[in-house]
Amino acid sequence: MTAFQQTGHFQSHRSHSHKCSCMADIGFTAEEIEQFTWGMRGLYQQLPPAGPGYECYEPAKNCYGLPEVIQAIQYVCTEWHKLYPNGPRVGIGDISYQGGGYMPPHQSHQHGLDVDVALVASNHEEIPLTYYDAKYSRQRTQQLIDLFQNNPILGIRVIFFNDPDVYGVEYCAGHDNHFHVSFLSPGVSAAPYSSDQIGDLRLVVPPMQGERVRKLQADLAKAGIDVGVDGIFGKQTDAAVRQFQSQQGLEIDGIAGAMTQARLAKILRDQPTARSGSEPVGLKLQDLIDQKKAIPFEDVNASLLVEDQRLCTEIQTILRVNGLLEVVDGLYGPKTREALRRFKDSRHLGGGDVLGATTARALLDSRPGMGFLPDWQGGDKQATIQAIIQEARRQGITSKAQIAYILATAQHETADSFQPVREGYFLGEPNAEIHRQSLRYSPYYGRGYVQLTWDYNYRQYSDILGIDLVNEPDLVMRPDISLFILVDGMKRGVFTGVKLDDYISEQQIDYYNARRIINWIDQAERIATHANTWQTRLA
């Protein structure tokens, strides 16, 4: 009996997981249809029931494909076995029948070009999973998808999978519990370049081309590596990546994956930046106060604000929340200059077109967040619990049931520490940072007592508080900011569009579905249990 059968994986997938019909229109070209018509079905090859790094969980009759497809699958699984020699193995599902043809209930899987693949667990278990299960590993599943996307044998037409935080995939109903890989027909793709929009950056045939490659090349050059910047991942770029990996003590494989890109990003962040003259770049308004600096801002072409986009953004954010500017883009121009002049006039500040310590202090004092934020600098678990209760009441929440659910959410999101945390903290460093750098919404990954993610949420709270969280997202780790966001976001429905009143009111207390305020119904039952406990304690 196989491991997949021992764990119930085989039966579960047959009964419901992978027998979800895929009704997506794969979209074959006229050339491919002609190939199918002229007898490509006679070339089918069977994938052995098991091999290095994989096991088939569907009957042997469902595991036939074109030879190139079988070769690509075996290549991916062999590479996976190198990464995880002790498991879990890759679970391979439906491919096609021998000779192809309709495979109920799928619309696809007829031409030996499609394969269903099981999701990967965060441990060694080989079990049926959905992307919202606790044991599902997004990081490992992303690695596996990247291997398919980057395989050198056969191009990928599309991968269907519904985890919104995995990149390189498309949504398709019925793909919560597996992903579906559709290969291009052998010899059909005439594209001169491979897309660089998905997965690791590496040397493939045809070579990757695009803005991600161009940025990688530019970053390598900034780090002192001799490489041209043309947006094409050729042999020179491969050699440059290997040189960088060698210098940094990384595995030398020429692949710009998550670890290599995270190390490169750290080196660039740590590099000192300076203006061409003597003025440093990267100032804050507080620096102008502490250093008693004065910056002329009359010339929109030569002011320090032109070069220091971070300082410009901080000023624009405050001007915007005070109704003096419409757009925050970090670009200093006539509109920002006029807004700054109007601000000085409204505060009766003299000195002309000069931004000095007095104006900087007035700007900081005018932030709405000065009145919004609680007086909270952090504390131990019990102190934080009391701070959350007080902040909820300060923001007008009187319902003990709602306060109980806020406490339950903070308890879950921080693993009972009641301290601001960063997404992936449970992985430990440096693995957590590597994971965060690989997220498609990085650097706007989850932070705080509740995981604030995505740039638009950071921008929204920048506008509310008058604090530049876009350029300085780590400010969300500040206890007073994090506490305000926890309560305000749940009260107003900022995170998902639904709010506390939608599930917890005088008419109902639905702790289970209240999880939708934060993250669909992930761990909803556990958090509901916490909420009931808190409600009893508060009573």
Side-chain angles (χ1 to χ4, degrees), residues 483-496:
L483 179 56
F484 176 83
I485 290 173
L486 165 68
V487 178
D488 179 76
M490 297 183 72
K491 177 184 176 183
R492 296 194 300 115
V494 171
F495 307 126
T496 63

Side-chain angles (χ1 to χ4, degrees), residues 378-398:
D380 62 18
K381 179 176 177 179
Q382 290 305 317
T384 303
I385 291 169
Q386 291 304 313
I388 292 172
I389 295 171
Q390 291 172 13
E391 178 62 12
R393 290 171 177 165
R394 190 180 76 93
Q395 293 194 29
I397 298 176
T398 58

Side-chain angles (χ1 to χ4, degrees), residues 295-312:
I295 300 173
F297 62 82
E298 178 181 8
D299 190 342
V300 296
N301 296 311
S303 172
L304 174 62
L305 296 179
V306 175
E307 297 187 26
D308 198 333
Q309 292 191 4
R310 174 171 291 186
L311 177 58
C312 182

Side-chain angles (χ1 to χ4, degrees), residues 14-40:
R14 277 183 60 85
S15 63
H16 72 276
S17 289
H18 289 271
K19 286 305 181 182
C20 295
S21 59
C22 177
M23 304 306 293
D25 181 6
I26 299 298
F28 294 112
T29 66
E31 183 179 357
E32 288 173 302
I33 293 172
E34 182 179 5
Q35 287 184 352
F36 302 148
T37 304
W38 283 92
M40 283 183 65

